[in-house]
Amino acid sequence: MTKKIAVLAGDGIGPEIVVEAVKVLDRLKQDGLDIELEHGLIGGAAYDESGTPLPDETIAISQAADGILLGAVGGYKWESLDISVRPEKGLLGIRSALNLFANLRPAILYPQLADASTLKAEVVAGLDLMIVRELTGGIYFGQPRGVRTLENGEKEGFNTLVYKESEINRIGKVAFDIAQKRQSRVCSVDKANVLESTELWRETMTSLAEGYPSVELSHMYVDNAAMQLVRAPKQFDVMVTTNMFGDILSDCASMLTGSIGMLPSASLDENGKGMYEPIHGSAPDIAGQNIANPLATILSVAMMLRYTLEQPEMADRIEKAVSTVLDKGLRTADIFSEGMTKVGTSEMGDAVVAAL
Ligand code: NAD
């Protein structure tokens, strides 16, 4: 049966990198991939068109789709808008509307890029880490939130970090299930020494681990985890953590691999439906220049094939094609090093398609 893919390009470099990912999907269609694409607006582009960063039509297209391919949202142009209609609100809104509670962020170092990392090659060579970030709860969604004026006239900003046991259990399950297919080690990251909500996180993860005797669970405070990620990242197999801690740690992990432009992500609901996007943002500083790295978005397509479209061989083919173009020495500016061939966004996309 034909699977429906919603394509939401978004803002900044979003449209440029999504075009390259769509080229890859089109190429795979020639080999029998039975999909139909439907395009929708999100973020600043949607705000400009309809006054909201997440139009109802985009929600409808996404709800009807089997998988969603997203570029990125945001940019200077919309920074002064009220927070309720900023592009980023569209992103949080769609994650929440589709109940995409599990964000998988692999950090894999392609051996060809060991020199592109700011860390020593021996620290990062062979890195293969999966960060599982809770995505629809925690401080980004907790109520109450806002800015109020106190009796003395001073303003006070406030947010609420809240996690239910059920939310911790379901994200924990995702992490343990993935670990069973990898090296069977889960490190749960929290701040249980100072935050009660993450004390509950730790207790719940510990109880959950009893149902997974083959998986080794460890706990780490987030400040230590940030340090360990740059000190000895290969100690980790699967890391599971809260929405905000995962947001920060996964950007940190991205640099271990050389560039934020290399890392895909998947955000899944309870039935395996997913939204697939690069972990980076809309990079307004380089938008429209044909220099953005499209590989994170192309690798997001591979994750879509693996987790939602059940086409693991096609997923493998994309990952192999990316490796092939890196072997050939092709590099976008963000991963460029001496002696390599610098290419633009569209040339990189074309090279992956050719390698397929
Ligand atoms: P960013 O990820 O957009 O950019 C950070 C740095 O990485 C920039 O120097 C950028 O040029 C570079 N970069 C990012 N992607 C790249 C790529 N594919 N190839 C080469 N270089 C790349 O983060 P930021 O600057 O903090 O945010 C810019 C905008 O993106 C903001 O409006 C922010 O809210 C938004 N944002 C959106 C998402 C998303 O849509 N998922 C995520 C993060 C930030």
Side-chain angles (χ1 to χ4, degrees):
M1 210 177 80
T2 307
K3 300 270 190 181
K4 284 191 188 160
I5 309 298
V7 180
L8 314 177
D11 310 315
I13 60 170
E16 297 169 60
I17 52 180
V18 163
V19 163
E20 302 312 315
V22 169
K23 278 183 194 166
V24 168
L25 282 170
D26 284 342
R27 173 66 189 78
L28 294 176
K29 273 165 99 172
Q30 292 171 21
D31 293 339
L33 181 65
D34 191 9
I35 55 164
E36 194 176 86
L37 305 185
E38 193 164 359
H39 296 262
L41 290 172
I42 192 165
Y47 175 82
D48 288 349
E49 186 84 10
S50 61
T52 163
L54 185 59
D56 289 343
E57 197 191 334
T58 300
I59 298 180
I61 292 172
S62 305
Q63 276 169 339
D66 296 288
I68 299 125
L69 178 66
L70 179 92
V73 300
Y76 311 131
K77 184 178 168 190
W78 303 284
E79 272 171 7
S80 56
L81 289 176
D82 184 77
I83 196 160
S84 62
V85 289
R86 273 192 217 146
E88 293 75 8
K89 211 64 187 176
L91 189 61
L92 295 182
I94 197 154
R95 286 173 181 165
S96 176
L98 300 178
N99 212 6
L100 304 171
F101 71 93
N103 188 213
L104 315 188
R105 296 185 163 204
I108 295 171
L109 181 76
Y110 280 83
Q112 302 94 325
L113 297 182
D115 287 343
S117 175
T118 47
L119 297 192
K120 289 187 191 117
E122 70 259 28
V123 175
V124 289
L127 179 74
D128 180 0
L129 150 76
M130 176 69 88
I131 297 186
V132 178
R133 166 188 171 197
E134 200 291 324
L135 202 60
T136 51
I139 199 163
Y140 291 178
F141 290 94
Q143 296 287 349
R145 61 190 296 157
V147 178
R148 59 191 161 210
T149 304
L150 301 174
E151 273 173 19
N152 67 1
E154 189 187 0
K155 282 187 177 171
E156 178 182 70
F158 58 99
N159 292 86
T160 305
L161 172 55
V162 56
Y163 269 115
K164 291 196 199 81
E165 237 178 332
S166 55
E167 289 174 296
I168 304 168
N169 261 313
R170 69 177 182 176
I171 192 71
K173 246 181 116 333
V174 171
F176 280 97
D177 287 343
I178 289 176
Q180 280 183 322
K181 296 180 195 143
R182 296 173 46 103
Q183 296 167 35
S184 293
R185 287 183 293 117
V186 171
C187 178
S188 171
V189 176
D190 61 41
K191 191 73 183 168
N193 49 345
V194 280
L195 298 171
E196 287 83 351
S197 52
T198 69
E199 202 180 347
L200 177 67
W201 178 281
R202 186 174 282 221
E203 282 167 20
T204 309
M205 288 292 171
T206 304
S207 304
L208 190 63
E210 288 168 16
Y212 290 88
S214 64
V215 178
E216 180 195 317
L217 172 69
S218 60
H219 302 277
M220 201 177 268
Y221 296 135
V222 63
D223 41 350
N224 185 25
M227 193 260 278
Q228 295 298 336
L229 261 182
V230 280
R231 193 187 72 86
K234 284 187 275 183
Q235 68 185 281
F236 299 110
D237 177 25
V238 175
M239 239 180 188
V240 60
T241 191
T242 65
N243 201 343
M244 182 163 71
F245 294 163
D247 192 2
I248 299 164
L249 292 179
S250 58
D251 265 30
C252 177
S254 73
M255 261 332 281
L256 305 174
T257 70
S259 171
I260 200 168
M262 289 299 299
L263 292 187
S265 76
S267 306
L268 306 176
D269 74 1
E270 255 152 321
N271 305 311
K273 172 171 171 164
M275 184 160 86
Y276 298 85
E277 54 178 314
I279 77 153
H280 58 72
S282 58
D285 53 330
I286 58 166
Q289 299 173 41
N290 191 40
I291 56 173
N293 187 345
L295 293 180
T297 317
I298 290 173
L299 291 167
S300 299
V301 170
M303 287 189 90
M304 180 190 286
L305 287 159
R306 184 164 288 124
Y307 291 102
T308 293
L309 301 179
E310 288 163 18
Q311 296 283 355
E313 296 85 16
M314 286 192 178
D316 288 346
R317 272 181 68 195
I318 294 181
E319 285 159 2
K320 238 173 124 200
V322 167
S323 197
T324 303
V325 296
L326 295 176
D327 278 340
K328 286 187 178 152
L330 303 187
R331 302 282 189 274
T332 42
D334 55 309
I335 49 173
F336 180 74
S337 59
E338 207 51 35
M340 299 294 138
T341 309
K342 199 182 271 187
V343 294
T345 310
S346 55
E347 291 80 8
M348 187 57 108
D350 290 342
V352 174
V353 171
L356 278 170

